[in-house]
Amino acid sequence: MKTWFITGASSGFGRSLALALLQEGEQVALTARDEDKVADLVDDFPLQARAWALDVTRPNSITRALAEARAHFGRLDVVVNNAGYGLLGALEECSDEQMVRNVETNFLGPLRVMRAALPGFRAQGGGHFINLGAAASVSNYAGFSVYGGAKAGMELASEAVAAEGAACGVKVTVVIPGPFRTEFISRSLDRGENPVPEYTATVGKFAGFLAKVDGRQPGDPAAAAKAIMAVAAAEKPPFRLVLGHYAYQKYRRHLDKVRAELEAWESVGLETDFPS
Ligand SMILES: NC(=O)c1ccc[n+]([C@@H]2O[C@H](COP(=O)([O-])OP(=O)(O)OC[C@H]3O[C@@H](n4cnc5c(N)ncnc54)[C@H](OP(=O)(O)O)[C@@H]3O)[C@@H](O)[C@H]2O)c1
C-alpha cells in the first residue's frame, strides 16, 4: 500500500485519480483550495483519506499540508502535481496579472510542492513525483503561449529534479495528456482580457476547436488514473507518460518535424565550433 498526496483533488484528473486509489485501498492526502469539495471522499473512505486546504499560489499552505499529511500517514510515497488551469489568448491579449497568476500556478506551484516534499523523500530513501504536463508543451497552439510555456518550463524543471534526485531514490514522471473530459475547458480556462480582433483567424480558431471538443474529449480521466497507477507501480517508471491517441500522434509528428529540421540545418550548425 502506498500513500499519495494530490493537489487539485476537487475535480477532473485529480478527483478521478483519488477515487481510483481509494477504491484500490491506497492512502490519499487529498488537497484542494476548498476542502469541502473533497469532503465526500473523506466521508466514504475515512480510514484511508484525509483532506487539507492547499492553494499552489500560497506557499505556506503547501508546506503546512505536506508536513501535516506526512505526520498523519507516516510517509508520502507519491506526490501528484495535478493542480493547474489554462489561459487562452494571444500573448498581447493577456494582462500581466493573468500571465503571472498562470505561471505561478502551472510552473512555480509544482516546483514549490516538489521543493517542500524533497526533504521527506530524501529522509525516507526516495519517492515519486507525478506532474501533470500538457500536449501544449510538446508543440504549442496559437492562444496558449503562457499556459504551454509554463507547462514546458515545469516539464524541463522536472527533468532536472529527476537528475538531481536520482541518487536519493527520487523518481519523476511528467504526464502528457491530450484532451480529456474534465472541467478544464468549461471551468479552468481563463481568457485573455484585452481582445484584439486580428487574432480571430488564429487564436479564435483554436478557441473554436476547444469549444467544439468540450464534453466530447476522447480522453477518459478514469482510464488516465489507471495509467498513472501503473506508472507508480513500475520498478523503472518513464520520465514521460503520454496519454491518449491524440497526444501520441501529436508527439510523433513533433519528433519527425524536429528531426527533419535538425538534419536540414545540420551543416550550418556544425560549422560553429572552433577548428580542432
Ligand atoms: N483535461 C485536459 O484536457 C488536460 C490536458 C492537458 C493537461 N491538463 C492538466 O491537468 C490538470 C488537471 O486539470 P483537469 O483537466 O482535471 O481540469 P479541472 O477538472 O478543471 O481541474 C483543475 C484542478 O486544478 C485545481 N486548481 C486550479 N488552480 C489551483 C491552485 N491555485 N491551487 C490548487 N488547486 C488549483 C482546481 O481546483 P478548484 O476546484 O479549486 O478550482 C481543480 O481541482 C491541470 O494541470 C491541467 O493543466 C488537462
Side-chain angles (χ1 to χ4, degrees), residues 8-14 33-34 37 54-57 82-85 105-106 132-135 147 151 177-180 182-184 187-188:
S10 58
S11 70
F13 283 117
R33 284 191 284 197
D34 176 0
K37 289 191 180 176
L54 187 156
D55 180 332
V56 296
T57 66
N82 165 72
Y85 75 96
T105 304
N106 293 311
L132 266 288
Y147 171 70
K151 288 287 191 184
F180 271 66
T182 68
E183 296 177 21
F184 181 77
R187 187 172 74 87
S188 298

PDB file of all heavy atoms in Angstrom, residues 8-14 33-34 37 54-57 82-85 105-106 132-135 147 151 177-180 182-184 187-188, ligand 1:
ATOM      1  N   GLY A   8      -5.107  19.699  -6.212  1.00  0.00           N
ATOM      2  CA  GLY A   8      -6.257  19.866  -7.119  1.00  0.00           C
ATOM      3  C   GLY A   8      -7.121  18.617  -7.181  1.00  0.00           C
ATOM      4  O   GLY A   8      -7.547  18.201  -8.260  1.00  0.00           O
ATOM      5  N   ALA A   9      -7.402  18.036  -6.006  1.00  0.00           N
ATOM      6  CA  ALA A   9      -8.177  16.775  -5.973  1.00  0.00           C
ATOM      7  C   ALA A   9      -9.687  17.015  -6.075  1.00  0.00           C
ATOM      8  O   ALA A   9     -10.466  16.067  -5.992  1.00  0.00           O
ATOM      9  CB  ALA A   9      -7.856  15.994  -4.695  1.00  0.00           C
ATOM     10  N   SER A  10     -10.083  18.273  -6.273  1.00  0.00           N
ATOM     11  CA  SER A  10     -11.518  18.584  -6.261  1.00  0.00           C
ATOM     12  C   SER A  10     -12.253  18.173  -7.532  1.00  0.00           C
ATOM     13  O   SER A  10     -13.461  17.954  -7.506  1.00  0.00           O
ATOM     14  CB  SER A  10     -11.715  20.089  -6.047  1.00  0.00           C
ATOM     15  OG  SER A  10     -11.053  20.811  -7.058  1.00  0.00           O
ATOM     16  N   SER A  11     -11.546  18.086  -8.670  1.00  0.00           N
ATOM     17  CA  SER A  11     -12.262  17.737  -9.909  1.00  0.00           C
ATOM     18  C   SER A  11     -11.305  17.095 -10.909  1.00  0.00           C
ATOM     19  O   SER A  11     -10.109  16.976 -10.656  1.00  0.00           O
ATOM     20  CB  SER A  11     -12.919  18.988 -10.520  1.00  0.00           C
ATOM     21  OG  SER A  11     -11.946  19.855 -11.033  1.00  0.00           O
ATOM     22  N   GLY A  12     -11.861  16.651 -12.039  1.00  0.00           N
ATOM     23  CA  GLY A  12     -11.069  16.182 -13.167  1.00  0.00           C
ATOM     24  C   GLY A  12     -10.101  15.053 -12.840  1.00  0.00           C
ATOM     25  O   GLY A  12     -10.437  14.107 -12.131  1.00  0.00           O
ATOM     26  N   PHE A  13      -8.871  15.193 -13.382  1.00  0.00           N
ATOM     27  CA  PHE A  13      -7.860  14.150 -13.184  1.00  0.00           C
ATOM     28  C   PHE A  13      -7.608  13.875 -11.702  1.00  0.00           C
ATOM     29  O   PHE A  13      -7.468  12.727 -11.288  1.00  0.00           O
ATOM     30  CB  PHE A  13      -6.512  14.589 -13.793  1.00  0.00           C
ATOM     31  CG  PHE A  13      -6.425  14.482 -15.273  1.00  0.00           C
ATOM     32  CD1 PHE A  13      -6.237  15.620 -16.054  1.00  0.00           C
ATOM     33  CD2 PHE A  13      -6.508  13.264 -15.918  1.00  0.00           C
ATOM     34  CE1 PHE A  13      -6.133  15.537 -17.434  1.00  0.00           C
ATOM     35  CE2 PHE A  13      -6.405  13.159 -17.295  1.00  0.00           C
ATOM     36  CZ  PHE A  13      -6.217  14.304 -18.060  1.00  0.00           C
ATOM     37  N   GLY A  14      -7.494  14.948 -10.922  1.00  0.00           N
ATOM     38  CA  GLY A  14      -7.145  14.791  -9.504  1.00  0.00           C
ATOM     39  C   GLY A  14      -8.188  13.979  -8.764  1.00  0.00           C
ATOM     40  O   GLY A  14      -7.864  13.069  -7.994  1.00  0.00           O
ATOM     41  N   ARG A  33      -8.181  23.667  -2.984  1.00  0.00           N
ATOM     42  CA  ARG A  33      -8.285  25.041  -2.460  1.00  0.00           C
ATOM     43  C   ARG A  33      -9.426  25.110  -1.465  1.00  0.00           C
ATOM     44  O   ARG A  33      -9.324  25.763  -0.439  1.00  0.00           O
ATOM     45  CB  ARG A  33      -8.527  26.021  -3.622  1.00  0.00           C
ATOM     46  CG  ARG A  33      -7.269  26.283  -4.401  1.00  0.00           C
ATOM     47  CD  ARG A  33      -7.450  27.417  -5.353  1.00  0.00           C
ATOM     48  NE  ARG A  33      -8.232  27.044  -6.530  1.00  0.00           N
ATOM     49  CZ  ARG A  33      -8.261  27.744  -7.640  1.00  0.00           C
ATOM     50  NH1 ARG A  33      -7.567  28.865  -7.717  1.00  0.00           N
ATOM     51  NH2 ARG A  33      -8.975  27.349  -8.685  1.00  0.00           N
ATOM     52  N   ASP A  34     -10.515  24.415  -1.770  1.00  0.00           N
ATOM     53  CA  ASP A  34     -11.665  24.368  -0.877  1.00  0.00           C
ATOM     54  C   ASP A  34     -11.831  22.914  -0.408  1.00  0.00           C
ATOM     55  O   ASP A  34     -12.283  22.056  -1.178  1.00  0.00           O
ATOM     56  CB  ASP A  34     -12.906  24.843  -1.655  1.00  0.00           C
ATOM     57  CG  ASP A  34     -14.175  24.741  -0.829  1.00  0.00           C
ATOM     58  OD1 ASP A  34     -14.103  24.304   0.332  1.00  0.00           O
ATOM     59  OD2 ASP A  34     -15.235  25.101  -1.371  1.00  0.00           O
ATOM     60  N   LYS A  37     -14.798  20.482  -1.066  1.00  0.00           N
ATOM     61  CA  LYS A  37     -15.027  19.803  -2.350  1.00  0.00           C
ATOM     62  C   LYS A  37     -14.541  18.352  -2.340  1.00  0.00           C
ATOM     63  O   LYS A  37     -14.843  17.594  -3.259  1.00  0.00           O
ATOM     64  CB  LYS A  37     -14.336  20.569  -3.478  1.00  0.00           C
ATOM     65  CG  LYS A  37     -14.999  21.896  -3.832  1.00  0.00           C
ATOM     66  CD  LYS A  37     -14.401  22.425  -5.122  1.00  0.00           C
ATOM     67  CE  LYS A  37     -15.004  23.741  -5.552  1.00  0.00           C
ATOM     68  NZ  LYS A  37     -14.344  24.282  -6.741  1.00  0.00           N
ATOM     69  N   LEU A  54      -5.081  23.452   0.222  1.00  0.00           N
ATOM     70  CA  LEU A  54      -3.806  23.782  -0.439  1.00  0.00           C
ATOM     71  C   LEU A  54      -4.097  24.563  -1.715  1.00  0.00           C
ATOM     72  O   LEU A  54      -4.865  24.122  -2.572  1.00  0.00           O
ATOM     73  CB  LEU A  54      -3.030  22.494  -0.773  1.00  0.00           C
ATOM     74  CG  LEU A  54      -1.601  22.657  -1.320  1.00  0.00           C
ATOM     75  CD1 LEU A  54      -0.772  21.409  -1.048  1.00  0.00           C
ATOM     76  CD2 LEU A  54      -1.564  22.976  -2.801  1.00  0.00           C
ATOM     77  N   ASP A  55      -3.477  25.723  -1.781  1.00  0.00           N
ATOM     78  CA  ASP A  55      -3.520  26.545  -2.997  1.00  0.00           C
ATOM     79  C   ASP A  55      -2.068  26.680  -3.432  1.00  0.00           C
ATOM     80  O   ASP A  55      -1.237  27.170  -2.651  1.00  0.00           O
ATOM     81  CB  ASP A  55      -4.143  27.913  -2.654  1.00  0.00           C
ATOM     82  CG  ASP A  55      -4.225  28.840  -3.860  1.00  0.00           C
ATOM     83  OD1 ASP A  55      -3.392  28.718  -4.776  1.00  0.00           O
ATOM     84  OD2 ASP A  55      -5.118  29.705  -3.865  1.00  0.00           O
ATOM     85  N   VAL A  56      -1.741  26.249  -4.649  1.00  0.00           N
ATOM     86  CA  VAL A  56      -0.332  26.231  -5.048  1.00  0.00           C
ATOM     87  C   VAL A  56       0.265  27.626  -5.179  1.00  0.00           C
ATOM     88  O   VAL A  56       1.479  27.772  -5.294  1.00  0.00           O
ATOM     89  CB  VAL A  56      -0.082  25.410  -6.336  1.00  0.00           C
ATOM     90  CG1 VAL A  56      -0.407  23.939  -6.134  1.00  0.00           C
ATOM     91  CG2 VAL A  56      -0.821  25.986  -7.531  1.00  0.00           C
ATOM     92  N   THR A  57      -0.575  28.667  -5.156  1.00  0.00           N
ATOM     93  CA  THR A  57      -0.040  30.031  -5.181  1.00  0.00           C
ATOM     94  C   THR A  57       0.197  30.554  -3.759  1.00  0.00           C
ATOM     95  O   THR A  57       0.607  31.701  -3.594  1.00  0.00           O
ATOM     96  CB  THR A  57      -0.982  30.999  -5.941  1.00  0.00           C
ATOM     97  OG1 THR A  57      -2.205  31.133  -5.199  1.00  0.00           O
ATOM     98  CG2 THR A  57      -1.285  30.515  -7.336  1.00  0.00           C
ATOM     99  N   ASN A  82      -1.022  18.016  -9.743  1.00  0.00           N
ATOM    100  CA  ASN A  82      -2.111  18.000 -10.719  1.00  0.00           C
ATOM    101  C   ASN A  82      -2.743  19.382 -10.908  1.00  0.00           C
ATOM    102  O   ASN A  82      -3.182  19.726 -12.007  1.00  0.00           O
ATOM    103  CB  ASN A  82      -3.164  16.992 -10.247  1.00  0.00           C
ATOM    104  CG  ASN A  82      -4.474  17.163 -10.966  1.00  0.00           C
ATOM    105  OD1 ASN A  82      -4.590  16.843 -12.142  1.00  0.00           O
ATOM    106  ND2 ASN A  82      -5.456  17.700 -10.256  1.00  0.00           N
ATOM    107  N   ALA A  83      -2.790  20.189  -9.854  1.00  0.00           N
ATOM    108  CA  ALA A  83      -3.477  21.484  -9.913  1.00  0.00           C
ATOM    109  C   ALA A  83      -2.976  22.325 -11.085  1.00  0.00           C
ATOM    110  O   ALA A  83      -1.770  22.418 -11.317  1.00  0.00           O
ATOM    111  CB  ALA A  83      -3.256  22.243  -8.608  1.00  0.00           C
ATOM    112  N   GLY A  84      -3.886  22.908 -11.820  1.00  0.00           N
ATOM    113  CA  GLY A  84      -3.489  23.761 -12.933  1.00  0.00           C
ATOM    114  C   GLY A  84      -4.709  24.280 -13.667  1.00  0.00           C
ATOM    115  O   GLY A  84      -5.821  23.794 -13.472  1.00  0.00           O
ATOM    116  N   TYR A  85      -4.484  25.279 -14.528  1.00  0.00           N
ATOM    117  CA  TYR A  85      -5.576  25.788 -15.356  1.00  0.00           C
ATOM    118  C   TYR A  85      -4.994  26.468 -16.587  1.00  0.00           C
ATOM    119  O   TYR A  85      -3.811  26.819 -16.624  1.00  0.00           O
ATOM    120  CB  TYR A  85      -6.471  26.760 -14.550  1.00  0.00           C
ATOM    121  CG  TYR A  85      -5.850  28.110 -14.316  1.00  0.00           C
ATOM    122  CD1 TYR A  85      -6.135  29.181 -15.166  1.00  0.00           C
ATOM    123  CD2 TYR A  85      -4.951  28.314 -13.289  1.00  0.00           C
ATOM    124  CE1 TYR A  85      -5.543  30.420 -14.981  1.00  0.00           C
ATOM    125  CE2 TYR A  85      -4.350  29.540 -13.093  1.00  0.00           C
ATOM    126  CZ  TYR A  85      -4.649  30.587 -13.937  1.00  0.00           C
ATOM    127  OH  TYR A  85      -4.042  31.804 -13.750  1.00  0.00           O
ATOM    128  N   THR A 105       0.802  29.314 -11.016  1.00  0.00           N
ATOM    129  CA  THR A 105       0.045  28.081 -10.752  1.00  0.00           C
ATOM    130  C   THR A 105       0.669  26.878 -11.468  1.00  0.00           C
ATOM    131  O   THR A 105       0.879  25.826 -10.847  1.00  0.00           O
ATOM    132  CB  THR A 105      -1.416  28.250 -11.225  1.00  0.00           C
ATOM    133  OG1 THR A 105      -1.970  29.399 -10.578  1.00  0.00           O
ATOM    134  CG2 THR A 105      -2.244  27.025 -10.889  1.00  0.00           C
ATOM    135  N   ASN A 106       0.959  27.040 -12.769  1.00  0.00           N
ATOM    136  CA  ASN A 106       1.375  25.872 -13.571  1.00  0.00           C
ATOM    137  C   ASN A 106       2.869  25.581 -13.520  1.00  0.00           C
ATOM    138  O   ASN A 106       3.280  24.450 -13.769  1.00  0.00           O
ATOM    139  CB  ASN A 106       0.961  26.076 -15.034  1.00  0.00           C
ATOM    140  CG  ASN A 106      -0.548  26.062 -15.211  1.00  0.00           C
ATOM    141  OD1 ASN A 106      -1.218  25.170 -14.713  1.00  0.00           O
ATOM    142  ND2 ASN A 106      -1.075  27.066 -15.899  1.00  0.00           N
ATOM    143  N   LEU A 132       1.480  16.791 -13.806  1.00  0.00           N
ATOM    144  CA  LEU A 132       0.624  16.903 -14.991  1.00  0.00           C
ATOM    145  C   LEU A 132       1.162  17.968 -15.937  1.00  0.00           C
ATOM    146  O   LEU A 132       1.136  19.162 -15.612  1.00  0.00           O
ATOM    147  CB  LEU A 132      -0.807  17.241 -14.564  1.00  0.00           C
ATOM    148  CG  LEU A 132      -1.779  16.068 -14.366  1.00  0.00           C
ATOM    149  CD1 LEU A 132      -2.186  15.426 -15.689  1.00  0.00           C
ATOM    150  CD2 LEU A 132      -1.212  14.994 -13.448  1.00  0.00           C
ATOM    151  N   GLY A 133       1.652  17.524 -17.073  1.00  0.00           N
ATOM    152  CA  GLY A 133       2.106  18.440 -18.120  1.00  0.00           C
ATOM    153  C   GLY A 133       0.954  18.700 -19.081  1.00  0.00           C
ATOM    154  O   GLY A 133      -0.210  18.640 -18.701  1.00  0.00           O
ATOM    155  N   ALA A 134       1.295  18.943 -20.352  1.00  0.00           N
ATOM    156  CA  ALA A 134       0.237  19.218 -21.333  1.00  0.00           C
ATOM    157  C   ALA A 134       0.766  18.982 -22.739  1.00  0.00           C
ATOM    158  O   ALA A 134       1.958  19.154 -23.000  1.00  0.00           O
ATOM    159  CB  ALA A 134      -0.236  20.665 -21.195  1.00  0.00           C
ATOM    160  N   ALA A 135      -0.143  18.625 -23.660  1.00  0.00           N
ATOM    161  CA  ALA A 135       0.229  18.472 -25.072  1.00  0.00           C
ATOM    162  C   ALA A 135       0.709  19.808 -25.637  1.00  0.00           C
ATOM    163  O   ALA A 135       1.502  19.845 -26.576  1.00  0.00           O
ATOM    164  CB  ALA A 135      -0.960  17.939 -25.868  1.00  0.00           C
ATOM    165  N   TYR A 147       0.246  29.453 -21.035  1.00  0.00           N
ATOM    166  CA  TYR A 147      -0.056  28.134 -20.444  1.00  0.00           C
ATOM    167  C   TYR A 147       0.940  27.075 -20.934  1.00  0.00           C
ATOM    168  O   TYR A 147       1.549  26.354 -20.121  1.00  0.00           O
ATOM    169  CB  TYR A 147      -1.489  27.742 -20.807  1.00  0.00           C
ATOM    170  CG  TYR A 147      -1.853  26.319 -20.444  1.00  0.00           C
ATOM    171  CD1 TYR A 147      -2.003  25.927 -19.119  1.00  0.00           C
ATOM    172  CD2 TYR A 147      -2.049  25.351 -21.439  1.00  0.00           C
ATOM    173  CE1 TYR A 147      -2.347  24.615 -18.798  1.00  0.00           C
ATOM    174  CE2 TYR A 147      -2.398  24.044 -21.122  1.00  0.00           C
ATOM    175  CZ  TYR A 147      -2.539  23.688 -19.800  1.00  0.00           C
ATOM    176  OH  TYR A 147      -2.868  22.388 -19.476  1.00  0.00           O
ATOM    177  N   LYS A 151       3.812  25.108 -18.736  1.00  0.00           N
ATOM    178  CA  LYS A 151       3.856  23.635 -18.644  1.00  0.00           C
ATOM    179  C   LYS A 151       5.196  23.098 -19.165  1.00  0.00           C
ATOM    180  O   LYS A 151       5.755  22.150 -18.614  1.00  0.00           O
ATOM    181  CB  LYS A 151       2.694  23.019 -19.429  1.00  0.00           C
ATOM    182  CG  LYS A 151       1.331  23.199 -18.763  1.00  0.00           C
ATOM    183  CD  LYS A 151       1.177  22.305 -17.535  1.00  0.00           C
ATOM    184  CE  LYS A 151      -0.242  22.277 -17.024  1.00  0.00           C
ATOM    185  NZ  LYS A 151      -0.397  21.507 -15.785  1.00  0.00           N
ATOM    186  N   PRO A 177      -1.196  14.625 -21.218  1.00  0.00           N
ATOM    187  CA  PRO A 177      -2.485  14.214 -21.778  1.00  0.00           C
ATOM    188  C   PRO A 177      -2.870  15.037 -23.006  1.00  0.00           C
ATOM    189  O   PRO A 177      -2.553  16.210 -23.093  1.00  0.00           O
ATOM    190  CB  PRO A 177      -3.487  14.529 -20.644  1.00  0.00           C
ATOM    191  CG  PRO A 177      -2.696  15.226 -19.560  1.00  0.00           C
ATOM    192  CD  PRO A 177      -1.363  15.587 -20.105  1.00  0.00           C
ATOM    193  N   GLY A 178      -3.593  14.414 -23.910  1.00  0.00           N
ATOM    194  CA  GLY A 178      -4.312  15.157 -24.941  1.00  0.00           C
ATOM    195  C   GLY A 178      -5.589  15.678 -24.296  1.00  0.00           C
ATOM    196  O   GLY A 178      -5.659  15.821 -23.075  1.00  0.00           O
ATOM    197  N   PRO A 179      -6.633  15.964 -25.085  1.00  0.00           N
ATOM    198  CA  PRO A 179      -7.887  16.462 -24.487  1.00  0.00           C
ATOM    199  C   PRO A 179      -8.618  15.368 -23.696  1.00  0.00           C
ATOM    200  O   PRO A 179      -8.953  14.327 -24.249  1.00  0.00           O
ATOM    201  CB  PRO A 179      -8.713  16.898 -25.699  1.00  0.00           C
ATOM    202  CG  PRO A 179      -7.817  16.828 -26.884  1.00  0.00           C
ATOM    203  CD  PRO A 179      -6.697  15.916 -26.561  1.00  0.00           C
ATOM    204  N   PHE A 180      -8.827  15.624 -22.421  1.00  0.00           N
ATOM    205  CA  PHE A 180      -9.538  14.687 -21.542  1.00  0.00           C
ATOM    206  C   PHE A 180     -10.816  15.344 -21.031  1.00  0.00           C
ATOM    207  O   PHE A 180     -10.874  16.555 -20.846  1.00  0.00           O
ATOM    208  CB  PHE A 180      -8.645  14.249 -20.372  1.00  0.00           C
ATOM    209  CG  PHE A 180      -7.813  13.026 -20.693  1.00  0.00           C
ATOM    210  CD1 PHE A 180      -6.818  13.082 -21.651  1.00  0.00           C
ATOM    211  CD2 PHE A 180      -8.050  11.809 -20.058  1.00  0.00           C
ATOM    212  CE1 PHE A 180      -6.065  11.957 -21.990  1.00  0.00           C
ATOM    213  CE2 PHE A 180      -7.312  10.679 -20.378  1.00  0.00           C
ATOM    214  CZ  PHE A 180      -6.315  10.743 -21.345  1.00  0.00           C
ATOM    215  N   THR A 182     -12.657  16.581 -18.643  1.00  0.00           N
ATOM    216  CA  THR A 182     -12.657  17.125 -17.286  1.00  0.00           C
ATOM    217  C   THR A 182     -13.320  18.502 -17.354  1.00  0.00           C
ATOM    218  O   THR A 182     -13.920  18.846 -18.372  1.00  0.00           O
ATOM    219  CB  THR A 182     -11.212  17.286 -16.766  1.00  0.00           C
ATOM    220  OG1 THR A 182     -10.586  18.321 -17.543  1.00  0.00           O
ATOM    221  CG2 THR A 182     -10.416  15.990 -16.904  1.00  0.00           C
ATOM    222  N   GLU A 183     -13.133  19.303 -16.324  1.00  0.00           N
ATOM    223  CA  GLU A 183     -13.709  20.652 -16.327  1.00  0.00           C
ATOM    224  C   GLU A 183     -12.719  21.697 -16.837  1.00  0.00           C
ATOM    225  O   GLU A 183     -12.905  22.891 -16.652  1.00  0.00           O
ATOM    226  CB  GLU A 183     -14.180  21.004 -14.909  1.00  0.00           C
ATOM    227  CG  GLU A 183     -15.307  20.105 -14.436  1.00  0.00           C
ATOM    228  CD  GLU A 183     -15.748  20.400 -13.007  1.00  0.00           C
ATOM    229  OE1 GLU A 183     -15.502  21.507 -12.508  1.00  0.00           O
ATOM    230  OE2 GLU A 183     -16.342  19.499 -12.388  1.00  0.00           O
ATOM    231  N   PHE A 184     -11.632  21.192 -17.469  1.00  0.00           N
ATOM    232  CA  PHE A 184     -10.558  22.092 -17.906  1.00  0.00           C
ATOM    233  C   PHE A 184     -11.068  23.185 -18.854  1.00  0.00           C
ATOM    234  O   PHE A 184     -10.759  24.367 -18.672  1.00  0.00           O
ATOM    235  CB  PHE A 184      -9.448  21.273 -18.584  1.00  0.00           C
ATOM    236  CG  PHE A 184      -8.285  22.101 -19.047  1.00  0.00           C
ATOM    237  CD1 PHE A 184      -7.345  22.562 -18.148  1.00  0.00           C
ATOM    238  CD2 PHE A 184      -8.127  22.431 -20.390  1.00  0.00           C
ATOM    239  CE1 PHE A 184      -6.267  23.340 -18.567  1.00  0.00           C
ATOM    240  CE2 PHE A 184      -7.059  23.206 -20.823  1.00  0.00           C
ATOM    241  CZ  PHE A 184      -6.127  23.654 -19.900  1.00  0.00           C
ATOM    242  N   ARG A 187     -14.401  25.166 -17.111  1.00  0.00           N
ATOM    243  CA  ARG A 187     -14.265  25.909 -15.854  1.00  0.00           C
ATOM    244  C   ARG A 187     -12.850  26.438 -15.614  1.00  0.00           C
ATOM    245  O   ARG A 187     -12.683  27.488 -14.997  1.00  0.00           O
ATOM    246  CB  ARG A 187     -14.651  24.975 -14.687  1.00  0.00           C
ATOM    247  CG  ARG A 187     -14.734  25.635 -13.335  1.00  0.00           C
ATOM    248  CD  ARG A 187     -15.309  24.683 -12.310  1.00  0.00           C
ATOM    249  NE  ARG A 187     -14.399  23.639 -11.904  1.00  0.00           N
ATOM    250  CZ  ARG A 187     -13.507  23.762 -10.918  1.00  0.00           C
ATOM    251  NH1 ARG A 187     -13.386  24.875 -10.267  1.00  0.00           N
ATOM    252  NH2 ARG A 187     -12.718  22.748 -10.600  1.00  0.00           N
ATOM    253  N   SER A 188     -11.845  25.687 -16.071  1.00  0.00           N
ATOM    254  CA  SER A 188     -10.463  26.020 -15.709  1.00  0.00           C
ATOM    255  C   SER A 188      -9.708  26.663 -16.863  1.00  0.00           C
ATOM    256  O   SER A 188      -8.547  26.348 -17.124  1.00  0.00           O
ATOM    257  CB  SER A 188      -9.728  24.755 -15.234  1.00  0.00           C
ATOM    258  OG  SER A 188     -10.343  24.247 -14.081  1.00  0.00           O
TER     259      SER A 188
HETATM  260  N1  LIG B   1      -8.281  17.989 -19.295  1.00  0.00           N
HETATM  261  C1  LIG B   1      -7.382  18.137 -20.234  1.00  0.00           C
HETATM  262  O1  LIG B   1      -7.676  18.016 -21.418  1.00  0.00           O
HETATM  263  C2  LIG B   1      -5.949  18.444 -19.854  1.00  0.00           C
HETATM  264  C3  LIG B   1      -4.985  18.305 -20.853  1.00  0.00           C
HETATM  265  C4  LIG B   1      -3.669  18.566 -20.528  1.00  0.00           C
HETATM  266  C5  LIG B   1      -3.325  18.900 -19.238  1.00  0.00           C
HETATM  267  N2  LIG B   1      -4.291  19.026 -18.271  1.00  0.00           N
HETATM  268  C6  LIG B   1      -3.876  19.375 -16.895  1.00  0.00           C
HETATM  269  O2  LIG B   1      -4.482  18.510 -15.971  1.00  0.00           O
HETATM  270  C7  LIG B   1      -4.505  19.134 -14.697  1.00  0.00           C
HETATM  271  C8  LIG B   1      -5.871  18.954 -14.066  1.00  0.00           C
HETATM  272  O3  LIG B   1      -6.837  19.628 -14.843  1.00  0.00           O
HETATM  273  P1  LIG B   1      -8.217  18.946 -15.218  1.00  0.00           P
HETATM  274  O4  LIG B   1      -8.206  18.679 -16.662  1.00  0.00           O
HETATM  275  O5  LIG B   1      -8.511  17.858 -14.306  1.00  0.00           O
HETATM  276  O6  LIG B   1      -9.220  20.200 -15.013  1.00  0.00           O
HETATM  277  P2  LIG B   1     -10.221  20.532 -13.812  1.00  0.00           P
HETATM  278  O7  LIG B   1     -11.238  19.465 -13.693  1.00  0.00           O
HETATM  279  O8  LIG B   1     -10.702  21.899 -14.084  1.00  0.00           O
HETATM  280  O9  LIG B   1      -9.280  20.506 -12.524  1.00  0.00           O
HETATM  281  C9  LIG B   1      -8.349  21.511 -12.270  1.00  0.00           C
HETATM  282  C10 LIG B   1      -7.941  21.391 -10.819  1.00  0.00           C
HETATM  283  O10 LIG B   1      -6.875  22.287 -10.525  1.00  0.00           O
HETATM  284  C11 LIG B   1      -7.212  22.970  -9.330  1.00  0.00           C
HETATM  285  N3  LIG B   1      -6.535  24.255  -9.208  1.00  0.00           N
HETATM  286  C12 LIG B   1      -6.512  25.290 -10.059  1.00  0.00           C
HETATM  287  N4  LIG B   1      -5.770  26.297  -9.560  1.00  0.00           N
HETATM  288  C13 LIG B   1      -5.315  25.882  -8.352  1.00  0.00           C
HETATM  289  C14 LIG B   1      -4.491  26.446  -7.342  1.00  0.00           C
HETATM  290  N5  LIG B   1      -4.006  27.694  -7.440  1.00  0.00           N
HETATM  291  N6  LIG B   1      -4.210  25.710  -6.234  1.00  0.00           N
HETATM  292  C15 LIG B   1      -4.712  24.463  -6.094  1.00  0.00           C
HETATM  293  N7  LIG B   1      -5.524  23.874  -6.996  1.00  0.00           N
HETATM  294  C16 LIG B   1      -5.805  24.574  -8.121  1.00  0.00           C
HETATM  295  C17 LIG B   1      -8.729  23.100  -9.379  1.00  0.00           C
HETATM  296  O11 LIG B   1      -9.229  23.400  -8.090  1.00  0.00           O
HETATM  297  P3  LIG B   1     -10.572  24.248  -7.836  1.00  0.00           P
HETATM  298  O12 LIG B   1     -11.687  23.235  -7.766  1.00  0.00           O
HETATM  299  O13 LIG B   1     -10.318  24.932  -6.524  1.00  0.00           O
HETATM  300  O14 LIG B   1     -10.743  25.210  -8.975  1.00  0.00           O
HETATM  301  C18 LIG B   1      -9.086  21.718  -9.863  1.00  0.00           C
HETATM  302  O15 LIG B   1      -9.036  20.793  -8.816  1.00  0.00           O
HETATM  303  C19 LIG B   1      -4.131  20.599 -14.921  1.00  0.00           C
HETATM  304  O16 LIG B   1      -2.782  20.790 -14.528  1.00  0.00           O
HETATM  305  C20 LIG B   1      -4.272  20.757 -16.433  1.00  0.00           C
HETATM  306  O17 LIG B   1      -3.444  21.763 -16.929  1.00  0.00           O
HETATM  307  C21 LIG B   1      -5.604  18.810 -18.560  1.00  0.00           C
END
